[in-house]
Amino acid sequence: MMRDWLSAQALARPDGAALIIDEATLTYRALHEQTAAFAARLAAAGVECGMIVGVLLSNRLEAALAVHAAPRLGVTLALFNTRLTPAELDVQVRAATCRVLVCERDTLPAALALPSAPRVLCIDPVDNPRLTPIDRCAGDGAAYCEGAVDLDAPLAIIFTSGTTGTPRGAVLTYGAFFASAMASAYRLGALPHDRWLCVLPLYHVGGLSILLRSCLYGTAVDLWQRFDAPAIMERLQSAPVTLISLVPTMLYRLLEQSGAAPPHLRLVLLGGAAAPPDLLERALQAGWPIATTYGLTEAASQVATALPEEVRRKPGSVGRPLVFTRVRVVDEWGRDQPPGVYGDILVQGPTLMYGYLGATPLDADAWFPTGDIGYLDADGDLWVVQRRSDLIISGGENIYPAEIEQALRQHPAIADVAVVGVPSAEWGQQVGAAIVLRDPTVSVTEILAFSRTRLAGYKQPRVVRIVDELPRTASGKVLRAAVIDLLKVEGATVEG
């Protein structure tokens, strides 16, 4: 057992900057005190040791407080995407067996619409007899001034679609995040005055990792609720931000604001999707310190990372695995592939999850099949060719065609549909759908209106084409490459 990481830093570096939100800076002492008070209010509202507590919050102070309060209360956090529809969210709340769900004013309607009916705690002052406003709960903060961390205990459940397209809860331990933070520091370095701008959601493993790593390092997090390219570019130019994690869409938008590399930035961790070669070249020529990275939820974020000098030498590679993490590339029989030969990427190491909810835990020395395709070169550097079969990555969000196809097929006028990723300079990919209609009088507008009632906004088809039939192989499988070609030609309906 060890002291919880925040209280340890409150002793070691009490006056050091811990969290910056807008123009306000919290020191480690202040963050420690606010976390103690927040934990006390949660306890007064009925949160008990051993619970799984759902969190449906945007990137705001209380989301960070909830993460730091978890070891003090002895709870596991189930972190939910705030963009999910109530139907999508309810599936995950039930899977995680959440008895309590912490929300904010903007996510309150979804929380109250859940058939699973967890107890809803709202961090904003609202009047509703169905929920408990946390601001009205009084607790003894001194009782929760610090907690203990068991590295084998679960810290967070984060839902990921894995290789199946069906959301599964990855159970991640304190030890996995601790090992990930140490391995990342060995690769990237950790400097006393580092300031990591975090625009990735804290319900994503990338955002959560930034918060936890910075606490372990005793450095600062500059937390943003949303990606606002002009405002972030201004911050990068004027403030001493040294680190930022981006998906390619975000980098594209920042480069559109200004090509000049920010003066204090020492690393841009670029991941979440494969970066287009022209985007990498443009950023490198402008002097941006790009470090391409490969990771996954099940491995507590980073698996491999190429530093800027390596990216310049081998654009497209994600570099070598982080220390204590091992990567293999194997054929369909599990045999190691020689350098340069495509195969399935397997990962082993201390950053791996405990297991999926409801599934057998992973063995300590297990090789986890990522479902990604890639190869190792002669130097041992990893190249990722395709992120999971048919996966669409739009603006850093993982989108699975099967889920969208299933939702669209519920429309009585749709006889058949194929969903694919259509290349986009801004988003990396956009969701495209080729649709075969039973009733030709139904419009694309009607179909999209139907889709919006069943799927989150980022999953909506943006390019749609009505076709007489889908291109298929002799065995009946949809030719997805041909579908992409259909959607790239004139005549498709394009949504903004």
Side-chain angles (χ1 to χ4, degrees):
M1 303 285 282
M2 64 173 69
R3 183 193 301 270
D4 82 78
W5 303 331
L6 176 58
S7 64
Q9 287 295 356
L11 286 174
R13 198 165 181 260
D15 297 321
L19 186 64
I20 299 129
I21 300 180
D22 296 326
E23 301 307 318
T25 298
L26 287 177
T27 64
Y28 273 99
R29 180 191 288 113
L31 185 59
H32 165 74
E33 292 170 350
Q34 291 214 29
T35 297
F38 189 73
R41 290 197 298 273
L42 288 176
V47 172
E48 300 174 353
C49 181
M51 275 187 174
I52 296 175
V53 177
V55 177
L56 191 63
L57 298 175
S58 59
N59 278 15
R60 52 187 289 175
L61 172 62
E62 291 82 1
L65 296 180
V67 172
H68 291 307
R72 305 180 182 205
L73 294 166
V75 300
T76 301
L77 302 180
L79 304 175
F80 300 120
N81 190 326
T82 58
R83 300 169 69 186
L84 297 178
T85 65
E88 293 167 320
L89 179 62
D90 191 59
V91 171
Q92 297 184 12
V93 170
R94 289 179 185 274
T97 63
C98 292
R99 292 163 52 193
V100 173
L101 180 62
V102 181
C103 71
E104 60 192 331
R105 182 178 284 106
D106 289 346
T107 60
L108 179 59
L112 293 178
L114 297 177
S116 50
R119 185 178 183 191
V120 176
L121 307 179
C122 187
I123 63 173
D124 293 319
V126 293
D127 289 318
N128 189 305
R130 293 181 55 193
L131 55 84
T132 303
I134 294 178
D135 66 316
R136 297 181 191 171
C137 297
D140 180 8
Y144 298 95
C145 60
E146 68 175 63
V149 167
D150 176 357
L151 293 180
D152 294 326
L155 166 59
I157 299 167
I158 300 180
F159 281 83
T160 177
S161 294
T163 59
T164 64
T166 302
R168 304 180 74 184
V171 182
L172 293 161
T173 64
Y174 286 91
F177 283 109
F178 187 86
S180 180
M182 296 305 103
S184 181
Y186 292 153
R187 178 59 51 86
L188 307 179
L191 304 179
H193 299 293
D194 270 338
R195 176 167 165 175
W196 203 323
L197 194 150
C198 178
V199 73
L200 302 178
L202 295 182
Y203 55 72
H204 277 188
V205 74
L208 180 59
S209 292
I210 292 170
L211 189 70
L212 295 171
R213 288 173 184 177
S214 297
C215 183
L216 281 163
Y217 305 156
T219 56
V221 174
D222 192 344
L223 187 64
W224 287 64
Q225 272 205 314
R226 62 187 60 84
F227 183 79
D228 180 337
I232 289 175
M233 195 64 213
E234 193 280 330
R235 177 83 102 194
L236 291 175
Q237 295 289 355
S238 63
V241 174
T242 58
L243 299 161
I244 188 171
S245 294
L246 300 171
V247 300
T249 299
M250 295 174 180
L251 178 61
Y252 174 91
R253 291 185 177 181
L254 290 176
L255 290 173
E256 289 295 294
Q257 293 297 314
S258 169
H264 302 285
L265 203 58
R266 69 180 184 87
L267 283 176
V268 176
L269 265 73
L270 188 65
D278 57 340
L279 179 64
L280 270 182
E281 182 180 0
R282 180 182 174 191
L284 291 171
Q285 286 184 348
W288 286 67
I290 304 296
T292 50
T293 186
Y294 168 68
L296 53 150
T297 300
E298 294 90 341
S301 192
Q302 272 174 282
V303 168
T305 300
L307 296 176
E309 58 271 22
E310 298 166 327
V311 175
R312 293 186 200 97
R313 183 165 48 89
K314 292 184 180 181
S317 167
V318 293
R320 294 190 178 187
L322 271 58
V323 66
F324 305 127
T325 292
R326 298 174 64 196
V327 170
R328 294 171 62 200
V329 174
V330 302
D331 63 17
E332 56 187 307
W333 296 281
R335 299 175 301 199
D336 288 323
Q337 295 282 53
V341 178
Y342 289 6
D344 297 316
I345 300 173
L346 308 182
V347 175
Q348 181 194 65
T351 68
L352 283 179
M353 65 178 176
Y354 173 80
Y356 289 118
L357 281 176
T360 303
L362 296 179
D363 293 334
D365 57 353
W367 284 95
F368 179 74
T370 67
D372 294 330
I373 306 300
Y375 65 92
L376 294 167
D377 64 20
D379 299 323
D381 292 319
L382 179 64
W383 300 71
V384 181
V385 176
Q386 179 176 311
R387 295 189 61 98
R388 295 182 174 90
S389 179
D390 302 331
L391 178 66
I392 301 169
I393 303 179
S394 181
E397 292 281 4
N398 290 354
I399 303 170
Y400 285 83
E403 181 184 11
I404 301 171
E405 289 167 356
Q406 183 179 5
L408 291 176
R409 285 192 178 105
Q410 295 175 29
H411 194 294
I414 293 179
D416 206 355
V417 59
V419 172
V420 295
V422 180
S424 164
E426 179 176 4
W427 295 98
Q429 289 179 304
Q430 287 184 301
V431 177
I435 297 173
V436 179
L437 291 176
R438 291 191 181 92
D439 180 0
T441 65
V442 173
S443 68
V444 170
T445 300
E446 291 174 85
I447 292 170
L448 293 175
F450 176 86
S451 175
R452 291 188 193 102
T453 67
R454 286 159 173 77
L455 295 167
Y458 67 92
K459 300 178 185 178
Q460 298 301 323
R462 302 296 176 184
V463 184
V464 180
R465 188 180 184 91
I466 305 300
V467 297
D468 293 330
E469 61 180 5
L470 299 177
R472 296 181 181 274
T473 65
S475 62
K477 293 182 180 179
V478 173
L479 286 166
R480 295 188 178 270
V483 173
I484 293 171
D485 290 338
L486 281 173
L487 295 172
K488 288 194 293 186
V489 301
E490 293 183 2
T493 300
V494 179
E495 290 286 303

